[in-house]
Amino acid sequence: MTLEYVDRSHNPRLILIFAGWAMDSTPFRSLAKTGYDIAVASDYTSFDFDFGPIMAEYAEICIVAWSLGVVAADLCYPQLEARATLRIAVNGTVTPVDDRRGIPPTVFGGTLAGLSEQSLLKFYRRTAGSRKAFEAFQELMPQRSLQSVTEELATFYPPRDYGAARCPWDLAIISRNDAIFPPENMLRAWEGKPVEFIDEAHLPDFGKILERHVVNKQLVGSRFGKRRDSYESGASVQAEIVERLEKKMSGLGIDALIADTDSSVLEIGCGTGLLSRRLDRLAGGHVTMWDIVGESPVAGARRYFRRCDAETAIGTEAPASFDLIISASTVQWFNSPLHFLERAAEAVKPGGFIVLSTFSPGNLTEVEQCTGRSLPLLSADGWRASAPASLETIAVETYDYPVRFDSPIDVFRHLSRTGVNSLGSDVNLRTAMRNYPASNDGSATVTYRPLILVFRKK
């Protein structure tokens, strides 16, 4: 296996792409993501590789594995787990040579037996899909020899059992027009996991995938930081969510648990303190508050604040450290909310609680209609199905919260004041406002879809 950087700006975060068969870093050289370095793994004639240096260099690693790179990433995952957050499989499976869950063995074996310069070029054409896409691909053609790619393909054939999946994948992306991995086989292989379909070929637009699924944390922090003074005046939905969280805690007896003077509470994403002030009143023990920007919203004995990226910081906490881990409207800005939940489950005490509010698919649906941009949110069922076995789901609540404004421009002013428009910097606001679904009287509504989740550690 080889590892090549396509962008090494010495950022604290890394996007690690496991490329497909017969690839190297060349087709990925145009990729970039603010706040991230990008490296490409390829050439799977051996799965032995020392990831120690990148584990020492980066605080966070987002894994995007493609095609035969999916099983390669899965085999390497134990080395990467301590820094990994996002884990996406693109047009591949952990059973790469299989009649029902991968490439049929007869097809795979035939490709290996008849491999030549001509058949390799034909493979590249089928991988790219259209003639236009292949012409673009030819500008960034992999620099691999026929002998090299033949030896690599032989690594996977005859088919073998790689054992149970090592990586708890967050998402599988499946191209409907994939001519290499049968889409129906991939869907079968990823049963029970979140799946997203795209109308592309086997080689998708990785720029779009990174834009949609890898969070620009610098932008998120910057926008929320700039809007701290105006956040609470415009964040009626967040205030209402905090009210519901407090009622949930009261109804489940969590408030009594944290009233104990020996209790320990961790709040993720304290922001301006909408929730922090309530925890300060309820908690008799320690309250630790984390946020990516700002400063402590409350002060006093046994009240602590840490400026950090909570998604990665949670992995540094000792097991069974907290009676309650709670977060209001924050985890949707993580690369992998599910991985955060896994780490939080380790950090909470047996019998303790994890209380989260986030948002469901369909959140800000009017904004998505006019901009084509949205966060890849997980459904309530997706959260329940993917929760660690150590957690018991105690409560799930989702609902719509419409907010009416006089005009579409007022909607976007509201989003700006509260910082929740951190979906990118390339949205044309004039076009978006013109296409916004307004009422006959010119007024406009934006609909939030909050999701509240309560888990208890068994």
Side-chain angles (χ1 to χ4, degrees), residues 280-295:
D280 184 47
R281 186 182 70 248
L282 294 171
H286 298 268
V287 177
T288 301
M289 296 157 283
W290 290 353
D291 202 86
I292 199 168
V293 294
E295 54 193 32

Side-chain angles (χ1 to χ4, degrees), residues 258-330:
I258 65 173
D260 190 282
T261 55
D262 291 328
S263 67
S264 184
V265 176
L266 173 62
E267 182 190 2
I268 303 297
C270 57
T272 60
L274 279 171
L275 178 58
S276 310
R277 292 189 289 273
R278 294 170 188 259
L279 294 172
D280 184 47
R281 186 182 70 248
L282 294 171
H286 298 268
V287 177
T288 301
M289 296 157 283
W290 290 353
D291 202 86
I292 199 168
V293 294
E295 54 193 32
S296 182
V298 300
R302 297 195 290 183
R303 301 296 183 256
Y304 314 100
F305 174 78
R306 179 183 174 189
R307 187 179 298 175
C308 63
D309 179 350
E311 184 173 15
T312 56
I314 190 68
T316 66
E317 292 299 312
S321 295
F322 302 100
D323 295 283
L324 170 65
I325 297 176
I326 186 167
S327 179
S329 307
T330 296

